[in-house]
């Protein structure tokens, strides 16, 4: 899933300063699972905003809405009858959802209430770890299911480097060396020959905006354009 | 000859190579380079010019290499993968060669987190293994990484690093084999303190036939003090400083520690001269360039052969 963390209240408050009616918009998918921007977090943020307004001579109004996915126009359409009542939208979705919300309602300013951090896994409730950089050229088959692009601080394709520090990465003893783990797993599987070969330079596909059309959907896209 | 560098000539003639190191200044101070270069002249066959070492900004490695040439030294131009993408790297290699640089050391580079700009974006577009192959193909095929022809290809003597002391130990010699396969002509190792481990690694390299394909220069760093030895043991990743080194420095008067450090280094060099599979020594006298003549003298590597 995509993992995000909420911005500080001070930063959020400063962004929406001067807007009299703000709709806090949550997303019911990734950011809800990682406890950053689901229905519950929308409620908490809206309550905090209302509380901070207390005693103001001209208090702002805050509304709440959570859609199932902000990265999907079908769900964003659900807001069409209420957004007109607001002069700003505060999105708690990932960066993709925030942009799609802004694209759907281009006349209304949209602000981010979270920082999108990474594609990761759920280690435990409230504990997430990064696992994928979406580089676009997956080598997990060669590396025993451990991503060298994400898990190695230098994204080496031919590790481990000389900085391997008692099985940890040189940057931090709490960060395991990805290539040490790759070596150990492949050794156990009897597949070390995988990394005896030199891996060629990567084709970095994540350095420009990308579009993906699954096979069979080309005509549908053409018709929509 | 692949590059015709002095270092290549020394090694191919079968002489025991002796190389040094010079860290460029943290500024445009040319006098600082000259001051560090002077004691190295005629003492070493080639001088590694570090590339933003420990991820701290310094004068660029190729520029400082040109000053080294002007001072009568042969540079070993270091290049790390941390700060440039494949375009910038190839461009710098062309420029360096055009200016007379003939040796290159291809490295991953310390992570930027250690340096003076920890917020920076680490590039790591290609890794050190891929860099070696890129420089080799530029030289031997006359082609850029994308396969296109180079008008007057750069002909570098290609170096790479190896750390025989980092885990997984069993894999280190295979990684050396990969660097040889990638196209390394010579290897400079991490600073050696654990001689048992070094002997074992060189033996593995001999047994695999690697030392017939690549020249291995053992990294030697004289300890300046007990404090330095303790720091390197506990704080520098990938460094293996056995207790007996600490004990030897502890066993002498504080004023004698530097001398004892040089003595240990010279004993190591004596052993490397005799060690099958070791073709020379790379002396990393860190911020101690002025001591190199004394160390070279005491290690019995002078005069340097003329080839």
């Amino acid at each position: 899933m995509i993992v995000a963390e909420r911005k500080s209240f001070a930063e959020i408050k400063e962004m929406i300063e001067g807007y009299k009616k703000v709709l806090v918009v949550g997303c019911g998918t990734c950011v809800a699972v990682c406890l950053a921007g689901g229905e519950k977090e929308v409620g908490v943020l809206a309550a905090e905003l209302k509380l901070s307004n207390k005693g103001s001579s001209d208090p702002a109004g805050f509304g709440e809405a959570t859609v199932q996915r902000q990265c999907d126009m079908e769900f964003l359409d659900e807001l069409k009858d209420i957004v007109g009542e607001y002069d700003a939208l505060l999105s708690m979705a990932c960066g993709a959802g925030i942009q799609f919300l802004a694209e759907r309602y281009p006349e209304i300013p949209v602000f981010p209430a979270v920082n999108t951090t990474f594609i990761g896994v759920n280690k435990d409730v409230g504990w997430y770890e990064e696992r994928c950089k979406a580089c676009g050229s997956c080598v997990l088959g060669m590396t025993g299911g451990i991503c060298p692009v994400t898990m190695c601080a230098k994204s080496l394709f031919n590790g481990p480097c000389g900085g391997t520090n008692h099985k940890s990465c040189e940057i931090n003893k709490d960060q395991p060396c990805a290539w040490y783990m790759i070596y150990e797993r492949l050794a156990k599987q009897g597949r070390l020959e995988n990394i005896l070969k030199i891996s060629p330079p990567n084709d970095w596909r994540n350095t420009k905006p990308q579009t993906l059309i699954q096979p069979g959907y080309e005509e549908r896209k053409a018709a929509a354009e | 000859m692949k590059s015709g560098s002095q270092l290549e000539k020394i090694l191919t003639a079968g002489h025991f190579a002796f190389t040094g190191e010079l860290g460029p200044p943290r500024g445009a101070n040319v006098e600082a380079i000259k001051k560090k270069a002077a004691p190295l002249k005629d003492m070493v066959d080639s001088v590694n010019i570090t590339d933003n070492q420990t991820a701290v900004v310094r004068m660029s490695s190729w520029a400082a290499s040109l000053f080294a040439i002007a001072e009568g030294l042969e540079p070993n131009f270091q290049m790390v993968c941390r700060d440039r993408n494949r375009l910038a790297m190839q461009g710098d290699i062309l420029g360096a060669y055009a200016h007379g640089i003939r040796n290159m050391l291809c490295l991953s580079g310390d992570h930027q987190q250690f340096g003076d700009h920890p917020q920076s974006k680490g590039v790591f577009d290609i890794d050190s293994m891929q860099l070696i192959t890129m420089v080799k193909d530029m030289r031997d095929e006359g082609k850029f990484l994308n396969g296109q022809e180079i008008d007057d290809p750069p002909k570098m003597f290609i170096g790479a690093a190896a750390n025989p002391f980092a885990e997984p130990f069993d894999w280190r010699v295979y990684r050396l084999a990969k660097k040889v396969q990638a196209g390394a002509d010579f290897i400079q190792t991490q600073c050696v303190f654990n001689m048992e481990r070094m002997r074992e690694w060189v033996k593995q390299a001999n047994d695999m036939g690697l030392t017939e394909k690549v020249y291995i220069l053992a990294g030697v760093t004289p300890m300046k003090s007990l404090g330095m030895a303790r720091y390197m043991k506990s704080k520098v990743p990938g460094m293996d400083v056995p207790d007996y080194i600490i004990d030897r420095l502890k066993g002498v008067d504080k004023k004698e520690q530097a001398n004892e450090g040089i003595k240990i280094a010279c004993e190591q060099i004596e052993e490397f001269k005799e060690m099958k599979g070791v073709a020379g020594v790379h002396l990393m006298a860190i911020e101690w360039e002025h001591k190199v003549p004394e160390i070279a003298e005491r290690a019995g590597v002078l005069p340097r052969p003329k080839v």
Side-chain angles (χ1 to χ4, degrees), chain B:
Chain B
M1 284 283 142
K2 291 169 174 168
S3 72
S5 76
Q6 174 77 3
L7 181 60
E8 182 180 7
K9 287 179 194 160
I10 290 271
L11 287 166
T12 50
H15 297 296
F16 189 76
F18 192 61
T19 57
E21 195 154 302
L22 189 160
R26 300 188 64 189
N29 186 347
V30 180
E31 288 310 311
I33 303 177
K34 289 182 180 171
K35 201 173 160 197
K36 280 183 168 183
L40 298 173
K41 194 158 187 287
D42 299 325
M43 298 293 145
V44 292
D45 304 315
S46 176
V47 180
N48 287 37
I49 310 294
T50 53
D51 183 12
N52 286 344
Q53 68 183 101
T54 61
V56 169
V57 176
R58 292 165 185 275
M59 184 188 292
S60 62
S61 172
W62 65 262
S65 292
L66 300 190
F67 286 116
I69 292 174
E71 294 305 302
L73 299 175
E74 176 172 283
N76 180 13
F77 167 45
Q78 293 195 186
M79 180 177 273
V80 300
C81 298
R82 179 194 58 232
D83 304 334
R84 315 167 179 76
N85 70 7
R86 57 190 84 177
L87 281 89
M89 289 172 133
Q90 292 177 100
D92 280 353
I93 293 163
L94 294 178
Y97 177 76
H99 276 289
I101 292 167
R102 293 292 179 268
N103 305 303
M104 249 190 91
L105 188 72
C106 304
L107 305 166
S108 303
D110 294 321
H111 195 272
Q112 62 276 11
Q113 182 190 287
F114 293 108
D116 60 352
H117 290 69
Q119 310 85 347
S120 62
K121 180 173 182 178
V123 179
F124 300 111
D125 177 20
I126 59 174
D127 67 20
S128 59
M129 201 74 71
Q130 296 158 351
L131 172 59
I132 294 165
T133 301
M134 186 173 84
V135 184
K136 182 180 193 289
D137 288 348
M138 288 174 85
R139 179 188 71 198
D140 297 344
E141 312 295 325
K143 285 185 174 155
F144 289 116
L145 188 55
N146 64 0
Q148 289 176 0
E149 301 259 330
I150 303 172
D151 174 14
D152 200 350
K155 301 202 178 292
M156 294 287 188
F157 194 48
I158 305 168
N163 185 348
F165 312 103
E167 287 165 318
F169 294 135
D170 295 341
W171 187 251
R172 290 295 159 182
V173 76
Y174 291 99
R175 189 149 192 268
L176 171 68
K178 279 179 81 169
K179 290 202 171 177
V180 174
Q181 192 198 335
D185 300 307
F186 68 100
I187 297 289
Q188 290 174 318
T189 75
Q190 175 65 284
C191 311
V192 180
F193 299 105
N194 183 340
M195 292 297 281
E196 291 81 27
R197 173 74 200 136
M198 181 66 178
R199 287 181 204 117
E200 189 186 329
W201 181 77
V202 173
K203 185 179 180 302
Q204 289 172 326
N206 283 334
D207 292 346
M208 285 172 66
L210 298 173
T211 50
E212 287 159 29
K213 298 176 189 157
V214 73
Y215 299 105
I216 294 177
L217 276 59
V220 171
T221 289
M223 294 291 193
K224 292 152 88 168
S225 65
L226 178 60
M228 173 179 171
R230 283 185 169 143
Y231 177 83
M232 291 187 96
K233 183 181 176 73
S234 61
K235 294 281 193 292
V236 183
M239 202 68 79
D240 180 356
V241 182
D243 286 331
Y244 63 76
I245 300 278
I246 306 276
D247 291 341
R248 265 188 73 173
L249 293 166
K250 238 194 254 176
V252 299
D253 190 72
K254 198 162 181 209
K255 278 182 288 189
E256 277 299 302
Q257 282 171 2
N259 187 45
E260 189 68 16
I262 293 176
K263 213 167 135 189
I264 296 169
C266 290
E267 288 167 18
Q268 288 182 306
I269 296 170
E270 284 306 324
E271 181 170 347
F272 287 134
K273 284 183 194 167
E274 304 302 321
M275 195 180 287
K276 180 178 176 284
V278 172
V281 157
H282 175 52
L283 182 70
M284 289 167 274
I286 304 161
E287 296 301 319
W288 227 21
E289 287 85 355
H290 66 277
K291 281 278 185 186
V292 170
E294 180 191 334
I295 299 165
E297 181 64 45
R298 286 171 63 177
V301 295
L302 297 180
R304 296 309 308 147
K306 299 276 178 232
V307 286

Side-chain angles (χ1 to χ4, degrees), chain A residues 101 157 159 194 206-207:
Chain A
L101 178 67
F157 283 79
N194 269 15
N206 59 348
T207 58

